Amino acid sequence: MKQIGYFISFLIVYLFYFPFKVLPYKWCLAYGIFLTNLIYPLDKKHRKVAADNIRFAFPTYTEEQILNLVKAHYRHLGILLAHTLWAPRMTKKWLDENLVIDDESLKIEEETKKQGVGVILISGHFGTWEILVQFLGIRMKGGGIYKKVRNPFVDQLLRRMRTKNGVVLVPVEESTQVIKLLKQGYWIGFGADQNAGKAGIFVPFMNRQASTFVGPALMAYLTGAKMLYYSVLAGENGKVIVRVKDLGFVDKKLYPSKDDVIRHYTELWTKTLEEEVKLFPEQYFWVHRRWRTQPQVTANK
């Protein structure tokens, strides 16, 4: 009975996905924005989450500025939706025509390729991250961390979509495989800015403490891989903007303990993400509960 329910859910998902599989790229973008315009007035819950998050992140904003940013964010969510479902159709030719990358970012990327080292490619729920998955497959020897979806039919569809351009997907539970790939020179993508709950460490992010996964810094520490931060952003007229920051290799002598070193590099990439969010605030994923877990406050006795 459960399998029947899974299959019916899969059919609904596939019907929703199908237009993005056949429509021209620009039409897909317009359709995605159209859908989120329909959702916006009905989605009071997530509008409130976004507004509350923005209020903390930008304490000097007026209520009018907050409302305008929420509206701009929902428009971006339409582009993100379109990119997510259209991305498996990406080709090298399309990327060559639509990729916008500044000279400094391109230099960092090319020099890193020449070094032949494994790369921890750090990004966040910012910009258009599913485009980054295909980008990795086309431009690098790429891999990504993958969390299995409960519905096996939907899981198979998502895996097929994400591996379309050759990305190697690694289940989140198989950290030893990530280490092996990094030592083989793979570029492994980490979208590491989810709420980590009790599994994370607290670091400052957008004026609040945020429970943050240490995976990227820990993997760099264990393997000697290089850390690069990537912003992949939705640009004008369907263009994709790529911005790269070189976070370097882990220096184990920087602090006296392993935990201190990992904290330093976790704070470093989180601060880098914060700086990017401030430049393109409408493209951060404000509707997710990034700051849900907060440090416990011990009452003074």
Side-chain angles (χ1 to χ4, degrees):
M1 194 68 180
K2 185 182 287 188
Q3 291 297 309
I4 294 174
Y6 281 150
F7 187 68
I8 292 172
S9 297
F10 164 75
L11 289 178
I12 294 171
V13 169
Y14 193 83
L15 286 172
F16 182 74
Y17 159 59
F18 186 76
F20 296 96
K21 189 176 180 180
V22 297
L23 291 175
Y25 171 63
K26 294 289 181 68
W27 288 25
C28 288
L29 293 178
Y31 183 47
I33 294 170
F34 169 74
L35 290 174
T36 51
N37 283 341
L38 288 180
I39 292 168
Y40 177 81
L42 306 173
D43 192 15
K44 293 181 180 179
K45 176 183 175 181
H46 289 102
R47 287 195 342 246
K48 183 179 185 303
V49 170
D52 288 345
N53 285 337
I54 292 166
R55 202 170 281 116
F56 271 103
F58 300 101
T60 62
Y61 274 23
T62 65
E63 288 302 307
E64 183 180 4
Q65 287 175 306
I66 292 168
L67 176 60
N68 288 339
L69 182 50
V70 172
K71 289 179 179 178
H73 176 56
Y74 266 78
R75 184 182 187 281
H76 172 71
L77 289 180
I79 297 171
L80 174 63
L81 172 65
H83 275 167
T84 298
L85 298 178
W86 178 87
R89 297 168 62 187
M90 186 193 295
T91 62
K92 185 178 184 304
K93 181 177 182 295
W94 181 92
L95 199 58
D96 289 343
E97 292 172 353
N98 291 279
L99 179 68
V100 179
I101 182 167
D102 61 274
D103 291 341
E104 182 60 28
S105 295
L106 188 59
K107 181 181 177 183
I108 291 169
E109 190 178 274
E110 292 302 318
E111 286 180 351
T112 302
K113 285 180 179 179
K114 288 176 184 176
Q115 290 172 338
V117 296
V119 174
I120 307 286
L121 192 155
I122 304 170
S123 189
H125 287 76
F126 176 58
T128 177
W129 58 86
E130 287 292 337
I131 288 286
L132 177 58
V133 175
Q134 306 302 329
F135 174 93
L136 262 173
I138 292 172
R139 289 174 65 88
M140 295 90 172
K141 189 164 71 169
I145 311 299
Y146 177 71
K147 187 174 182 179
K148 191 174 182 179
V149 176
R150 184 178 300 175
N151 185 320
F153 301 106
V154 175
D155 183 72
Q156 186 178 18
L157 174 64
L158 290 175
R159 287 181 64 88
R160 189 165 65 246
M161 289 168 62
R162 287 175 173 166
T163 57
K164 184 70 166 53
N165 280 299
V167 165
V168 176
L169 291 180
V170 181
V172 68
E173 304 85 3
E174 297 183 16
S175 58
T176 54
Q177 189 177 347
V178 175
I179 292 172
K180 186 183 297 183
L181 289 172
L182 286 168
K183 290 185 175 180
Q184 292 173 0
Y186 274 79
W187 293 46
I188 306 295
F190 286 79
D193 70 325
Q194 299 117 317
N195 174 54
K198 294 180 180 179
I201 62 172
F202 287 101
V203 301
F205 177 57
M206 303 301 295
N207 297 319
R208 276 190 281 180
Q209 293 293 311
S211 179
T212 305
F213 288 108
V214 300
L218 177 61
M219 285 296 168
Y221 183 94
L222 294 174
T223 65
K226 189 175 186 178
M227 288 181 293
L228 298 181
Y229 173 83
Y230 268 69
S231 291
V232 178
L233 302 156
E236 296 293 329
N237 299 315
K239 299 294 185 181
V240 173
I241 301 167
V242 173
R243 293 164 55 88
V244 186
K245 307 294 181 184
D246 188 350
L247 306 184
F249 296 92
V250 166
D251 183 353
K252 295 183 179 181
K253 298 176 182 178
L254 192 63
Y255 291 99
S257 74
K258 172 184 171 184
D259 288 346
D260 288 336
V261 174
I262 289 172
R263 171 172 288 280
H264 168 77
Y265 285 101
T266 301
E267 290 179 345
L268 176 62
W269 74 253
T270 303
K271 182 63 176 176
T272 305
L273 171 60
E274 178 176 308
E275 291 169 353
E276 291 290 290
V277 171
K278 289 177 179 178
L279 292 174
F280 307 93
E282 76 285 353
Q283 298 204 32
Y284 190 62
F285 198 52
W286 295 111
V287 293
H288 82 313
R289 296 184 181 275
R290 176 67 184 94
W291 298 270
R292 182 174 54 196
T293 302
Q294 286 293 295
Q296 291 184 347
V297 178
T298 304
N300 292 327
K301 294 184 179 179

